[in-house]
Amino acid sequence: QVQLAESGGGLVQPGGSLSLSCVASGSIFHIVAMAWYRQAPGKERELVASRTSGGNSEYADSVKGRFTISRINGGNAIDLQMNSLVPEDTAVYYCNMRGYVTSTKWDDYWGQGTQVTVSS
């Protein structure tokens, strides 16, 4: 089984910074991509940032230039460095992994979510 462990959420003031981490563990044959999504109350879940094993990154327009996603620890983990945070960034952030558990079977896997609150 694949497990995604998230950490780093918390309360931060507007203009501040926060870093999230997600570590994938279990029987993983190959990771295609890892990403961070977020969901605010009453809103749809949205992609924040993603990074493929090939090194391509994608960001939501609302966070472009402020957030940076990185693949670390041999590729089984990602960090999300969040700078210049604004209250609109407040949401539950979910780690996502798209990967193969065998040479032919792939799926999307999700973490439990970590709360990020940006408030004075």
PDB file of all heavy atoms in Angstrom, residues 41-78:
ATOM      1  N   PRO A  41     -13.137  26.029   2.282  1.00  0.00           N
ATOM      2  CA  PRO A  41     -14.541  25.746   2.579  1.00  0.00           C
ATOM      3  C   PRO A  41     -15.472  26.277   1.497  1.00  0.00           C
ATOM      4  O   PRO A  41     -15.379  27.436   1.098  1.00  0.00           O
ATOM      5  CB  PRO A  41     -14.771  26.463   3.908  1.00  0.00           C
ATOM      6  CG  PRO A  41     -13.424  26.500   4.549  1.00  0.00           C
ATOM      7  CD  PRO A  41     -12.461  26.699   3.414  1.00  0.00           C
ATOM      8  N   GLY A  42     -16.357  25.416   1.015  1.00  0.00           N
ATOM      9  CA  GLY A  42     -17.309  25.807  -0.002  1.00  0.00           C
ATOM     10  C   GLY A  42     -16.745  25.905  -1.397  1.00  0.00           C
ATOM     11  O   GLY A  42     -17.468  26.289  -2.324  1.00  0.00           O
ATOM     12  N   LYS A  43     -15.487  25.563  -1.574  1.00  0.00           N
ATOM     13  CA  LYS A  43     -14.833  25.657  -2.873  1.00  0.00           C
ATOM     14  C   LYS A  43     -14.438  24.274  -3.385  1.00  0.00           C
ATOM     15  O   LYS A  43     -14.321  23.317  -2.619  1.00  0.00           O
ATOM     16  CB  LYS A  43     -13.593  26.545  -2.792  1.00  0.00           C
ATOM     17  CG  LYS A  43     -13.860  27.968  -2.323  1.00  0.00           C
ATOM     18  CD  LYS A  43     -14.655  28.747  -3.355  1.00  0.00           C
ATOM     19  CE  LYS A  43     -14.849  30.192  -2.902  1.00  0.00           C
ATOM     20  NZ  LYS A  43     -13.551  30.919  -2.807  1.00  0.00           N
ATOM     21  N   GLU A  44     -14.228  24.200  -4.699  1.00  0.00           N
ATOM     22  CA  GLU A  44     -13.756  22.967  -5.304  1.00  0.00           C
ATOM     23  C   GLU A  44     -12.269  22.791  -5.053  1.00  0.00           C
ATOM     24  O   GLU A  44     -11.523  23.763  -4.905  1.00  0.00           O
ATOM     25  CB  GLU A  44     -14.035  22.974  -6.807  1.00  0.00           C
ATOM     26  CG  GLU A  44     -15.499  22.985  -7.190  1.00  0.00           C
ATOM     27  CD  GLU A  44     -16.176  21.670  -6.878  1.00  0.00           C
ATOM     28  OE1 GLU A  44     -15.516  20.622  -6.916  1.00  0.00           O
ATOM     29  OE2 GLU A  44     -17.389  21.696  -6.596  1.00  0.00           O
ATOM     30  N   ARG A  45     -11.852  21.547  -5.008  1.00  0.00           N
ATOM     31  CA  ARG A  45     -10.433  21.256  -4.893  1.00  0.00           C
ATOM     32  C   ARG A  45      -9.714  21.734  -6.153  1.00  0.00           C
ATOM     33  O   ARG A  45     -10.191  21.521  -7.275  1.00  0.00           O
ATOM     34  CB  ARG A  45     -10.213  19.760  -4.693  1.00  0.00           C
ATOM     35  CG  ARG A  45      -8.759  19.352  -4.494  1.00  0.00           C
ATOM     36  CD  ARG A  45      -8.656  17.866  -4.241  1.00  0.00           C
ATOM     37  NE  ARG A  45      -9.166  17.096  -5.369  1.00  0.00           N
ATOM     38  CZ  ARG A  45      -9.351  15.783  -5.355  1.00  0.00           C
ATOM     39  NH1 ARG A  45      -9.087  15.087  -4.259  1.00  0.00           N
ATOM     40  NH2 ARG A  45      -9.811  15.167  -6.439  1.00  0.00           N
ATOM     41  N   GLU A  46      -8.572  22.376  -5.985  1.00  0.00           N
ATOM     42  CA  GLU A  46      -7.833  22.907  -7.115  1.00  0.00           C
ATOM     43  C   GLU A  46      -6.365  22.539  -7.030  1.00  0.00           C
ATOM     44  O   GLU A  46      -5.808  22.368  -5.942  1.00  0.00           O
ATOM     45  CB  GLU A  46      -7.979  24.430  -7.190  1.00  0.00           C
ATOM     46  CG  GLU A  46      -7.357  25.166  -6.014  1.00  0.00           C
ATOM     47  CD  GLU A  46      -7.352  26.668  -6.183  1.00  0.00           C
ATOM     48  OE1 GLU A  46      -7.620  27.158  -7.300  1.00  0.00           O
ATOM     49  OE2 GLU A  46      -7.085  27.376  -5.183  1.00  0.00           O
ATOM     50  N   LEU A  47      -5.759  22.432  -8.184  1.00  0.00           N
ATOM     51  CA  LEU A  47      -4.328  22.173  -8.258  1.00  0.00           C
ATOM     52  C   LEU A  47      -3.562  23.424  -7.862  1.00  0.00           C
ATOM     53  O   LEU A  47      -3.826  24.509  -8.369  1.00  0.00           O
ATOM     54  CB  LEU A  47      -3.938  21.744  -9.667  1.00  0.00           C
ATOM     55  CG  LEU A  47      -2.437  21.580  -9.924  1.00  0.00           C
ATOM     56  CD1 LEU A  47      -1.888  20.391  -9.148  1.00  0.00           C
ATOM     57  CD2 LEU A  47      -2.162  21.414 -11.412  1.00  0.00           C
ATOM     58  N   VAL A  48      -2.617  23.264  -6.969  1.00  0.00           N
ATOM     59  CA  VAL A  48      -1.743  24.356  -6.561  1.00  0.00           C
ATOM     60  C   VAL A  48      -0.434  24.301  -7.333  1.00  0.00           C
ATOM     61  O   VAL A  48      -0.007  25.281  -7.946  1.00  0.00           O
ATOM     62  CB  VAL A  48      -1.466  24.327  -5.051  1.00  0.00           C
ATOM     63  CG1 VAL A  48      -0.515  25.456  -4.651  1.00  0.00           C
ATOM     64  CG2 VAL A  48      -2.770  24.421  -4.269  1.00  0.00           C
ATOM     65  N   ALA A  49       0.208  23.150  -7.285  1.00  0.00           N
ATOM     66  CA  ALA A  49       1.486  22.978  -7.964  1.00  0.00           C
ATOM     67  C   ALA A  49       1.742  21.499  -8.176  1.00  0.00           C
ATOM     68  O   ALA A  49       1.348  20.668  -7.353  1.00  0.00           O
ATOM     69  CB  ALA A  49       2.634  23.603  -7.163  1.00  0.00           C
ATOM     70  N   SER A  50       2.395  21.164  -9.266  1.00  0.00           N
ATOM     71  CA  SER A  50       2.737  19.781  -9.556  1.00  0.00           C
ATOM     72  C   SER A  50       4.129  19.717 -10.149  1.00  0.00           C
ATOM     73  O   SER A  50       4.623  20.684 -10.731  1.00  0.00           O
ATOM     74  CB  SER A  50       1.725  19.144 -10.514  1.00  0.00           C
ATOM     75  OG  SER A  50       1.776  19.754 -11.792  1.00  0.00           O
ATOM     76  N   ARG A  51       4.735  18.545 -10.003  1.00  0.00           N
ATOM     77  CA  ARG A  51       6.059  18.333 -10.558  1.00  0.00           C
ATOM     78  C   ARG A  51       6.185  16.890 -11.008  1.00  0.00           C
ATOM     79  O   ARG A  51       5.902  15.972 -10.241  1.00  0.00           O
ATOM     80  CB  ARG A  51       7.147  18.668  -9.539  1.00  0.00           C
ATOM     81  CG  ARG A  51       8.552  18.616 -10.123  1.00  0.00           C
ATOM     82  CD  ARG A  51       9.573  19.156  -9.153  1.00  0.00           C
ATOM     83  NE  ARG A  51      10.918  19.116  -9.695  1.00  0.00           N
ATOM     84  CZ  ARG A  51      11.452  20.058 -10.448  1.00  0.00           C
ATOM     85  NH1 ARG A  51      10.746  21.154 -10.743  1.00  0.00           N
ATOM     86  NH2 ARG A  51      12.686  19.944 -10.897  1.00  0.00           N
ATOM     87  N   THR A  52       6.592  16.698 -12.254  1.00  0.00           N
ATOM     88  CA  THR A  52       6.766  15.365 -12.800  1.00  0.00           C
ATOM     89  C   THR A  52       8.162  14.859 -12.504  1.00  0.00           C
ATOM     90  O   THR A  52       9.068  15.615 -12.134  1.00  0.00           O
ATOM     91  CB  THR A  52       6.537  15.341 -14.313  1.00  0.00           C
ATOM     92  OG1 THR A  52       7.587  16.075 -14.957  1.00  0.00           O
ATOM     93  CG2 THR A  52       5.198  15.961 -14.677  1.00  0.00           C
ATOM     94  N   SER A  53       8.333  13.551 -12.681  1.00  0.00           N
ATOM     95  CA  SER A  53       9.652  12.963 -12.503  1.00  0.00           C
ATOM     96  C   SER A  53      10.650  13.516 -13.506  1.00  0.00           C
ATOM     97  O   SER A  53      11.858  13.506 -13.245  1.00  0.00           O
ATOM     98  CB  SER A  53       9.575  11.437 -12.631  1.00  0.00           C
ATOM     99  OG  SER A  53       8.790  10.874 -11.604  1.00  0.00           O
ATOM    100  N   GLY A  54      10.146  13.989 -14.652  1.00  0.00           N
ATOM    101  CA  GLY A  54      11.007  14.585 -15.652  1.00  0.00           C
ATOM    102  C   GLY A  54      11.437  15.994 -15.340  1.00  0.00           C
ATOM    103  O   GLY A  54      12.239  16.573 -16.085  1.00  0.00           O
ATOM    104  N   GLY A  55      10.890  16.573 -14.275  1.00  0.00           N
ATOM    105  CA  GLY A  55      11.314  17.893 -13.846  1.00  0.00           C
ATOM    106  C   GLY A  55      10.421  19.039 -14.272  1.00  0.00           C
ATOM    107  O   GLY A  55      10.746  20.200 -14.011  1.00  0.00           O
ATOM    108  N   ASN A  56       9.300  18.747 -14.922  1.00  0.00           N
ATOM    109  CA  ASN A  56       8.378  19.803 -15.323  1.00  0.00           C
ATOM    110  C   ASN A  56       7.483  20.209 -14.161  1.00  0.00           C
ATOM    111  O   ASN A  56       6.968  19.361 -13.442  1.00  0.00           O
ATOM    112  CB  ASN A  56       7.518  19.342 -16.498  1.00  0.00           C
ATOM    113  CG  ASN A  56       8.330  19.122 -17.751  1.00  0.00           C
ATOM    114  OD1 ASN A  56       9.271  19.862 -18.034  1.00  0.00           O
ATOM    115  ND2 ASN A  56       7.978  18.097 -18.512  1.00  0.00           N
ATOM    116  N   SER A  57       7.292  21.505 -14.010  1.00  0.00           N
ATOM    117  CA  SER A  57       6.467  22.041 -12.938  1.00  0.00           C
ATOM    118  C   SER A  57       5.301  22.836 -13.502  1.00  0.00           C
ATOM    119  O   SER A  57       5.399  23.440 -14.565  1.00  0.00           O
ATOM    120  CB  SER A  57       7.294  22.944 -12.014  1.00  0.00           C
ATOM    121  OG  SER A  57       8.347  22.225 -11.405  1.00  0.00           O
ATOM    122  N   GLU A  58       4.202  22.834 -12.767  1.00  0.00           N
ATOM    123  CA  GLU A  58       3.018  23.592 -13.141  1.00  0.00           C
ATOM    124  C   GLU A  58       2.445  24.235 -11.891  1.00  0.00           C
ATOM    125  O   GLU A  58       2.404  23.616 -10.828  1.00  0.00           O
ATOM    126  CB  GLU A  58       1.983  22.693 -13.807  1.00  0.00           C
ATOM    127  CG  GLU A  58       0.718  23.411 -14.245  1.00  0.00           C
ATOM    128  CD  GLU A  58      -0.273  22.499 -14.927  1.00  0.00           C
ATOM    129  OE1 GLU A  58       0.147  21.438 -15.439  1.00  0.00           O
ATOM    130  OE2 GLU A  58      -1.474  22.834 -14.959  1.00  0.00           O
ATOM    131  N   TYR A  59       1.992  25.483 -12.019  1.00  0.00           N
ATOM    132  CA  TYR A  59       1.457  26.234 -10.894  1.00  0.00           C
ATOM    133  C   TYR A  59       0.131  26.870 -11.254  1.00  0.00           C
ATOM    134  O   TYR A  59      -0.096  27.265 -12.401  1.00  0.00           O
ATOM    135  CB  TYR A  59       2.415  27.341 -10.458  1.00  0.00           C
ATOM    136  CG  TYR A  59       3.743  26.853  -9.945  1.00  0.00           C
ATOM    137  CD1 TYR A  59       4.824  26.693 -10.802  1.00  0.00           C
ATOM    138  CD2 TYR A  59       3.914  26.562  -8.596  1.00  0.00           C
ATOM    139  CE1 TYR A  59       6.046  26.249 -10.333  1.00  0.00           C
ATOM    140  CE2 TYR A  59       5.133  26.115  -8.118  1.00  0.00           C
ATOM    141  CZ  TYR A  59       6.197  25.962  -8.989  1.00  0.00           C
ATOM    142  OH  TYR A  59       7.409  25.521  -8.526  1.00  0.00           O
ATOM    143  N   ALA A  60      -0.736  26.972 -10.265  1.00  0.00           N
ATOM    144  CA  ALA A  60      -1.940  27.757 -10.435  1.00  0.00           C
ATOM    145  C   ALA A  60      -1.559  29.223 -10.604  1.00  0.00           C
ATOM    146  O   ALA A  60      -0.584  29.702 -10.015  1.00  0.00           O
ATOM    147  CB  ALA A  60      -2.858  27.593  -9.230  1.00  0.00           C
ATOM    148  N   ASP A  61      -2.331  29.941 -11.411  1.00  0.00           N
ATOM    149  CA  ASP A  61      -2.035  31.348 -11.650  1.00  0.00           C
ATOM    150  C   ASP A  61      -1.991  32.151 -10.351  1.00  0.00           C
ATOM    151  O   ASP A  61      -1.202  33.089 -10.211  1.00  0.00           O
ATOM    152  CB  ASP A  61      -3.067  31.954 -12.599  1.00  0.00           C
ATOM    153  CG  ASP A  61      -2.921  31.461 -14.020  1.00  0.00           C
ATOM    154  OD1 ASP A  61      -1.833  30.957 -14.372  1.00  0.00           O
ATOM    155  OD2 ASP A  61      -3.891  31.584 -14.789  1.00  0.00           O
ATOM    156  N   SER A  62      -2.825  31.779  -9.398  1.00  0.00           N
ATOM    157  CA  SER A  62      -2.926  32.534  -8.162  1.00  0.00           C
ATOM    158  C   SER A  62      -1.697  32.416  -7.270  1.00  0.00           C
ATOM    159  O   SER A  62      -1.508  33.245  -6.374  1.00  0.00           O
ATOM    160  CB  SER A  62      -4.172  32.101  -7.378  1.00  0.00           C
ATOM    161  OG  SER A  62      -4.106  30.724  -7.060  1.00  0.00           O
ATOM    162  N   VAL A  63      -0.865  31.407  -7.497  1.00  0.00           N
ATOM    163  CA  VAL A  63       0.309  31.206  -6.659  1.00  0.00           C
ATOM    164  C   VAL A  63       1.609  31.349  -7.423  1.00  0.00           C
ATOM    165  O   VAL A  63       2.688  31.302  -6.817  1.00  0.00           O
ATOM    166  CB  VAL A  63       0.273  29.835  -5.952  1.00  0.00           C
ATOM    167  CG1 VAL A  63      -1.051  29.634  -5.229  1.00  0.00           C
ATOM    168  CG2 VAL A  63       0.519  28.705  -6.946  1.00  0.00           C
ATOM    169  N   LYS A  64       1.530  31.532  -8.718  1.00  0.00           N
ATOM    170  CA  LYS A  64       2.724  31.626  -9.550  1.00  0.00           C
ATOM    171  C   LYS A  64       3.598  32.796  -9.099  1.00  0.00           C
ATOM    172  O   LYS A  64       3.117  33.915  -8.905  1.00  0.00           O
ATOM    173  CB  LYS A  64       2.328  31.777 -11.015  1.00  0.00           C
ATOM    174  CG  LYS A  64       3.439  31.484 -11.999  1.00  0.00           C
ATOM    175  CD  LYS A  64       2.883  31.417 -13.422  1.00  0.00           C
ATOM    176  CE  LYS A  64       1.854  30.306 -13.566  1.00  0.00           C
ATOM    177  NZ  LYS A  64       1.333  30.203 -14.961  1.00  0.00           N
ATOM    178  N   GLY A  65       4.864  32.512  -8.917  1.00  0.00           N
ATOM    179  CA  GLY A  65       5.790  33.521  -8.449  1.00  0.00           C
ATOM    180  C   GLY A  65       5.929  33.589  -6.946  1.00  0.00           C
ATOM    181  O   GLY A  65       6.875  34.205  -6.443  1.00  0.00           O
ATOM    182  N   ARG A  66       5.004  32.971  -6.222  1.00  0.00           N
ATOM    183  CA  ARG A  66       5.042  32.962  -4.764  1.00  0.00           C
ATOM    184  C   ARG A  66       5.366  31.589  -4.192  1.00  0.00           C
ATOM    185  O   ARG A  66       6.005  31.485  -3.147  1.00  0.00           O
ATOM    186  CB  ARG A  66       3.709  33.439  -4.187  1.00  0.00           C
ATOM    187  CG  ARG A  66       3.326  34.851  -4.583  1.00  0.00           C
ATOM    188  CD  ARG A  66       2.103  35.329  -3.802  1.00  0.00           C
ATOM    189  NE  ARG A  66       0.904  34.537  -4.112  1.00  0.00           N
ATOM    190  CZ  ARG A  66       0.214  33.826  -3.231  1.00  0.00           C
ATOM    191  NH1 ARG A  66       0.597  33.797  -1.958  1.00  0.00           N
ATOM    192  NH2 ARG A  66      -0.870  33.160  -3.599  1.00  0.00           N
ATOM    193  N   PHE A  67       4.899  30.535  -4.858  1.00  0.00           N
ATOM    194  CA  PHE A  67       5.085  29.166  -4.386  1.00  0.00           C
ATOM    195  C   PHE A  67       6.108  28.456  -5.255  1.00  0.00           C
ATOM    196  O   PHE A  67       6.205  28.704  -6.467  1.00  0.00           O
ATOM    197  CB  PHE A  67       3.780  28.376  -4.432  1.00  0.00           C
ATOM    198  CG  PHE A  67       2.729  28.809  -3.445  1.00  0.00           C
ATOM    199  CD1 PHE A  67       2.852  29.971  -2.709  1.00  0.00           C
ATOM    200  CD2 PHE A  67       1.604  28.020  -3.262  1.00  0.00           C
ATOM    201  CE1 PHE A  67       1.880  30.368  -1.810  1.00  0.00           C
ATOM    202  CE2 PHE A  67       0.621  28.397  -2.361  1.00  0.00           C
ATOM    203  CZ  PHE A  67       0.750  29.574  -1.631  1.00  0.00           C
ATOM    204  N   THR A  68       6.840  27.538  -4.646  1.00  0.00           N
ATOM    205  CA  THR A  68       7.802  26.721  -5.362  1.00  0.00           C
ATOM    206  C   THR A  68       7.685  25.280  -4.904  1.00  0.00           C
ATOM    207  O   THR A  68       7.737  24.997  -3.702  1.00  0.00           O
ATOM    208  CB  THR A  68       9.243  27.203  -5.135  1.00  0.00           C
ATOM    209  OG1 THR A  68       9.372  28.562  -5.542  1.00  0.00           O
ATOM    210  CG2 THR A  68      10.216  26.354  -5.951  1.00  0.00           C
ATOM    211  N   ILE A  69       7.520  24.362  -5.862  1.00  0.00           N
ATOM    212  CA  ILE A  69       7.451  22.943  -5.548  1.00  0.00           C
ATOM    213  C   ILE A  69       8.769  22.286  -5.927  1.00  0.00           C
ATOM    214  O   ILE A  69       9.354  22.589  -6.967  1.00  0.00           O
ATOM    215  CB  ILE A  69       6.263  22.267  -6.267  1.00  0.00           C
ATOM    216  CG1 ILE A  69       6.089  20.821  -5.779  1.00  0.00           C
ATOM    217  CG2 ILE A  69       6.410  22.325  -7.783  1.00  0.00           C
ATOM    218  CD1 ILE A  69       4.805  20.159  -6.265  1.00  0.00           C
ATOM    219  N   SER A  70       9.231  21.388  -5.072  1.00  0.00           N
ATOM    220  CA  SER A  70      10.499  20.708  -5.287  1.00  0.00           C
ATOM    221  C   SER A  70      10.353  19.226  -4.999  1.00  0.00           C
ATOM    222  O   SER A  70       9.659  18.836  -4.063  1.00  0.00           O
ATOM    223  CB  SER A  70      11.599  21.286  -4.393  1.00  0.00           C
ATOM    224  OG  SER A  70      11.782  22.667  -4.621  1.00  0.00           O
ATOM    225  N   ARG A  71      11.003  18.415  -5.801  1.00  0.00           N
ATOM    226  CA  ARG A  71      11.128  16.977  -5.547  1.00  0.00           C
ATOM    227  C   ARG A  71      12.422  16.747  -4.786  1.00  0.00           C
ATOM    228  O   ARG A  71      13.490  17.201  -5.207  1.00  0.00           O
ATOM    229  CB  ARG A  71      11.126  16.179  -6.844  1.00  0.00           C
ATOM    230  CG  ARG A  71       9.809  16.169  -7.592  1.00  0.00           C
ATOM    231  CD  ARG A  71       8.836  15.147  -6.993  1.00  0.00           C
ATOM    232  NE  ARG A  71       9.277  13.775  -7.186  1.00  0.00           N
ATOM    233  CZ  ARG A  71       9.010  13.039  -8.257  1.00  0.00           C
ATOM    234  NH1 ARG A  71       8.305  13.557  -9.268  1.00  0.00           N
ATOM    235  NH2 ARG A  71       9.448  11.793  -8.323  1.00  0.00           N
ATOM    236  N   ILE A  72      12.325  16.056  -3.668  1.00  0.00           N
ATOM    237  CA  ILE A  72      13.484  15.845  -2.823  1.00  0.00           C
ATOM    238  C   ILE A  72      13.564  14.386  -2.383  1.00  0.00           C
ATOM    239  O   ILE A  72      12.698  13.573  -2.692  1.00  0.00           O
ATOM    240  CB  ILE A  72      13.443  16.754  -1.574  1.00  0.00           C
ATOM    241  CG1 ILE A  72      12.192  16.451  -0.738  1.00  0.00           C
ATOM    242  CG2 ILE A  72      13.495  18.217  -1.980  1.00  0.00           C
ATOM    243  CD1 ILE A  72      12.155  17.168   0.586  1.00  0.00           C
ATOM    244  N   ASN A  73      14.619  14.087  -1.664  1.00  0.00           N
ATOM    245  CA  ASN A  73      14.796  12.785  -1.025  1.00  0.00           C
ATOM    246  C   ASN A  73      14.693  11.638  -2.015  1.00  0.00           C
ATOM    247  O   ASN A  73      13.945  10.682  -1.814  1.00  0.00           O
ATOM    248  CB  ASN A  73      13.794  12.596   0.111  1.00  0.00           C
ATOM    249  CG  ASN A  73      14.155  11.448   1.031  1.00  0.00           C
ATOM    250  OD1 ASN A  73      15.319  11.094   1.169  1.00  0.00           O
ATOM    251  ND2 ASN A  73      13.148  10.854   1.665  1.00  0.00           N
ATOM    252  N   GLY A  74      15.444  11.739  -3.100  1.00  0.00           N
ATOM    253  CA  GLY A  74      15.459  10.678  -4.081  1.00  0.00           C
ATOM    254  C   GLY A  74      14.204  10.579  -4.922  1.00  0.00           C
ATOM    255  O   GLY A  74      14.022   9.596  -5.643  1.00  0.00           O
ATOM    256  N   GLY A  75      13.324  11.574  -4.841  1.00  0.00           N
ATOM    257  CA  GLY A  75      12.133  11.610  -5.661  1.00  0.00           C
ATOM    258  C   GLY A  75      10.868  11.116  -5.002  1.00  0.00           C
ATOM    259  O   GLY A  75       9.794  11.196  -5.599  1.00  0.00           O
ATOM    260  N   ASN A  76      10.950  10.626  -3.766  1.00  0.00           N
ATOM    261  CA  ASN A  76       9.765  10.113  -3.087  1.00  0.00           C
ATOM    262  C   ASN A  76       9.117  11.142  -2.168  1.00  0.00           C
ATOM    263  O   ASN A  76       8.251  10.784  -1.367  1.00  0.00           O
ATOM    264  CB  ASN A  76      10.104   8.853  -2.300  1.00  0.00           C
ATOM    265  CG  ASN A  76      10.945   9.137  -1.074  1.00  0.00           C
ATOM    266  OD1 ASN A  76      11.793  10.014  -1.084  1.00  0.00           O
ATOM    267  ND2 ASN A  76      10.711   8.367  -0.005  1.00  0.00           N
ATOM    268  N   ALA A  77       9.515  12.382  -2.278  1.00  0.00           N
ATOM    269  CA  ALA A  77       8.965  13.429  -1.433  1.00  0.00           C
ATOM    270  C   ALA A  77       8.930  14.746  -2.196  1.00  0.00           C
ATOM    271  O   ALA A  77       9.701  14.962  -3.135  1.00  0.00           O
ATOM    272  CB  ALA A  77       9.779  13.584  -0.151  1.00  0.00           C
ATOM    273  N   ILE A  78       8.029  15.621  -1.787  1.00  0.00           N
ATOM    274  CA  ILE A  78       7.955  16.958  -2.358  1.00  0.00           C
ATOM    275  C   ILE A  78       7.818  17.978  -1.239  1.00  0.00           C
ATOM    276  O   ILE A  78       7.233  17.701  -0.193  1.00  0.00           O
ATOM    277  CB  ILE A  78       6.782  17.138  -3.348  1.00  0.00           C
ATOM    278  CG1 ILE A  78       5.458  16.680  -2.716  1.00  0.00           C
ATOM    279  CG2 ILE A  78       7.053  16.428  -4.656  1.00  0.00           C
ATOM    280  CD1 ILE A  78       4.234  17.069  -3.525  1.00  0.00           C
TER     281      ILE A  78
END
